[in-house]
Every structure is written in C-alpha cells, then in structure tokens.
C-alpha cells in the first residue's frame, strides 16, 4: 500500500475536526459495502461526532466517500459496530458521558442514554458489545451496561 515510497495515500477524505481514536468497520452483507466509522473531535470540548464513509473503487483505486455525520457525539471515544448498529460514546470530558446507538446505514439516532450516566468517561475508555449488551466505564470506575433491543 502507499505506492513505491509507502507514503502515498490511496485515498484522502476530510472530516469536520481531528480524528481521535480507532476507526470502526462493518460490511453490509446485503449490498457488499464496506463501511468505515471515524470519531472526530471539534474545536471545542462540546463538539465532535462520528463520520461514516463507504469504501468504493474509482479509476481502479479504493477511495472513501462520506455518507453521513452524527454531530451530537461530543468528544467521542472510538466507536464499535455490531449487527448494523454503531455504538458511540460521548466521553463528556467535564460533564456526563452519553451512549449513542446509531443506524449504521443512515446515522439515524436510535437510542441515547441522556443523563443516565453519572459522570464523565475517559477519552481512552472503550466500548464492549456482547450478548445483546453494551458496556463502558466512567472515570470513577463505575461500569455501565445497557441492553440492546432485540429488534436490532
């Protein structure tokens, strides 16, 4: 990858802030489309979100095409995907953390924990999804667990 010098990008894409944390990926088996989800932080602590891209081939080369942006995920941790859903965590650096569940194809918000979490999560915290539940912890070492509705 990256041409002869291994430094030439195969594709470039822009986000509305700086990408922080790991990317998440999911393949839509019905369409055969590869999705990439990038967490970005905005210019203020209260801004940021998740931007979704699809991998497409143009002129024989892979490229990323932006599809949707969820802007209400402030200071997001790295997202996680499962069963076509995107799980995103607003770390809430100085406020409360907030869990967001988004439709992976459209970015439509399906769930938010609102003010159910008592404190902030570290930006380095991770989300875990297993057995129909999503888990994360806050800076006071409290572990939160939310069930995922079975219709998803």
């Amino acid at each position: 990858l990256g041409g002869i010098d291994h430094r030439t990008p195969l594709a470039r894409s822009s986000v509305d802030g700086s990408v922080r944390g790991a990317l998440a990926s999911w393949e839509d088996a019905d369409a055969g489309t590869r999705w990439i989800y990038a967490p970005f932080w905005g210019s203020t602590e209260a801004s940021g979100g998740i931007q979704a891209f699809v991998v497409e081939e143009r002129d024989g080369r892979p490229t990323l095409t932006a599809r949707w942006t969820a802007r209400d995920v402030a200071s997001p941790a790295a997202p996680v995907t499962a069963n076509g859903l995107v799980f995103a965590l607003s770390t809430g650096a100085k406020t409360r953390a907030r869990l967001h569940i988004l439709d992976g194809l459209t970015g439509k918000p399906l769930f938010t924990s609102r003010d159910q979490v008592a404190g902030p999560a570290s930006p380095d915290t991770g989300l875990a999804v297993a057995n129909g539940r999503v888990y994360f912890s806050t800076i006071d070492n409290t572990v939160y667990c939310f069930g995922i509705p079975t219709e998803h």
Side-chain angles (χ1 to χ4, degrees), residues 85-139:
L85 300 176
V86 177
F87 300 88
L89 181 65
S90 293
T91 59
K94 294 180 182 174
T95 60
R96 297 171 183 242
R98 183 174 286 178
L99 175 67
H100 301 267
I101 302 177
L102 310 167
D103 181 285
L105 295 173
T106 65
K108 176 184 173 188
L110 302 174
F111 171 82
T112 180
S113 62
R114 295 188 185 88
D115 292 331
Q116 295 179 40
V117 179
S122 165
D124 300 323
T125 195
L127 290 166
V129 177
N131 299 321
R133 293 176 180 81
V134 58
Y135 303 87
F136 64 91
S137 62
T138 54
I139 61 171

Side-chain angles (χ1 to χ4, degrees), residues 24-138:
S25 180
W26 168 67
E27 184 174 359
D28 177 3
D30 294 335
T33 304
R34 172 61 60 185
W35 288 80
I36 307 290
Y37 304 99
F40 68 91
W41 289 30
S43 57
T44 67
E45 184 180 309
S47 64
I50 304 294
Q51 189 155 11
F53 300 89
V54 292
V55 179
E56 298 178 324
E57 188 175 319
R58 289 198 185 141
D59 300 324
R61 299 180 69 181
T63 188
L64 297 175
T65 303
R67 286 294 173 96
W68 55 260
T69 302
R71 297 189 182 281
D72 61 343
V73 186
S75 305
V80 174
T81 64
N83 299 328
L85 300 176
V86 177
F87 300 88
L89 181 65
S90 293
T91 59
K94 294 180 182 174
T95 60
R96 297 171 183 242
R98 183 174 286 178
L99 175 67
H100 301 267
I101 302 177
L102 310 167
D103 181 285
L105 295 173
T106 65
K108 176 184 173 188
L110 302 174
F111 171 82
T112 180
S113 62
R114 295 188 185 88
D115 292 331
Q116 295 179 40
V117 179
S122 165
D124 300 323
T125 195
L127 290 166
V129 177
N131 299 321
R133 293 176 180 81
V134 58
Y135 303 87
F136 64 91
S137 62
T138 54

